[in-house]
Amino acid sequence: MNPRRIVLSLVAGLASTLLLGACGSSNDTGTGNAAPAASDPAISTPVASPPSASANATASSTAGTGSDGGTTTTAVTAKAMTGLGNVVTDNNGMTLYRFDQDEPSPSKWTCKGACTMTWIPVIVQDSVRTSGVEKSLLGTVHRSGLKQLTLGGWPLYRYIGDTAAGQANGQGKDGEWFAVAPSGQKSVTTG
């Protein structure tokens, strides 16, 4: 065999190895423009946003956080609503609800999967400001690595059918969903 041919074959083999190795390299020291691998787990975290002019935009932004993602709130307030008495609202003025199938002691949520697309868990990150709601009645229950707000032990939700502050379209839905009173009890319709 010709020594020149052997050297050329070795050089070609070495160049091929280096090129293939560079293509499959997982060391990313570049600018970060590469897309993540398909096997990387998706991480979904709630994003706190300032109150928007459209509650509908808030509802649509929370729908994309996954079935248990929820909506983040920073404050709860007791507000008088015609026909319901005092109910609790979030920092955007949206009515908060409780679910009869959940449990208050210890706090346990049962609304999951498709249920959370209609009844959006209220997620908190740190402390929550209150107005007309006894702070000692507030708590949290863990939900998919997040903290769902509770009142009187009951996990709290927003209803996707409420598109503006002050609405309570979820009141009495399926005989199991009720606007929550400042005490944590379910609100009852008044005459």
Side-chain angles (χ1 to χ4, degrees):
M1 198 175 229
N2 186 346
R4 187 174 179 189
R5 197 177 275 175
I6 293 173
V7 170
L8 287 175
S9 294
L10 287 173
V11 169
L14 182 59
S16 295
T17 302
L18 290 174
L19 287 174
L20 288 174
C23 290
S25 175
S26 62
N27 294 334
D28 183 14
T29 58
T31 59
N33 290 331
S39 62
D40 289 348
I43 298 172
S44 175
T45 56
V47 178
S49 60
S52 64
S54 168
N56 207 16
T58 302
S60 65
S61 71
T62 59
T65 61
S67 63
D68 286 326
T71 180
T72 303
T73 194
T74 58
V76 291
T77 304
K79 291 200 175 176
M81 287 191 151
T82 304
L84 293 178
N86 281 334
V87 298
V88 178
T89 62
D90 68 8
N91 52 292
N92 292 320
M94 304 302 285
T95 302
L96 301 183
Y97 297 88
R98 53 171 268 188
F99 184 35
D100 279 351
Q101 290 186 26
D102 286 348
E103 295 177 16
S105 183
S107 296
K108 180 182 172 189
W109 50 266
T110 59
C111 176
K112 58 186 173 184
C115 177
T116 62
M117 299 309 278
T118 302
W119 300 97
I120 305 164
V122 176
I123 304 300
V124 294
Q125 294 195 355
D126 294 314
S127 63
V128 176
R129 294 184 320 272
T130 63
S131 176
V133 178
E134 183 60 44
K135 196 161 185 109
S136 66
L137 294 176
L138 295 177
T140 59
V141 63
H142 290 281
R143 178 180 201 98
S144 305
L146 303 173
K147 294 185 283 187
Q148 183 174 2
L149 184 64
T150 62
L151 179 58
W154 292 96
L156 300 180
Y157 303 84
R158 273 204 31 229
Y159 178 53
I160 195 77
D162 289 345
T163 58
Q167 293 181 340
N169 296 320
Q171 175 66 12
K173 284 281 187 202
D174 302 322
E176 300 179 308
W177 291 93
F178 297 92
V180 67
S183 63
Q185 299 300 312
K186 59 184 165 184
S187 179
V188 292
T189 306
T190 60

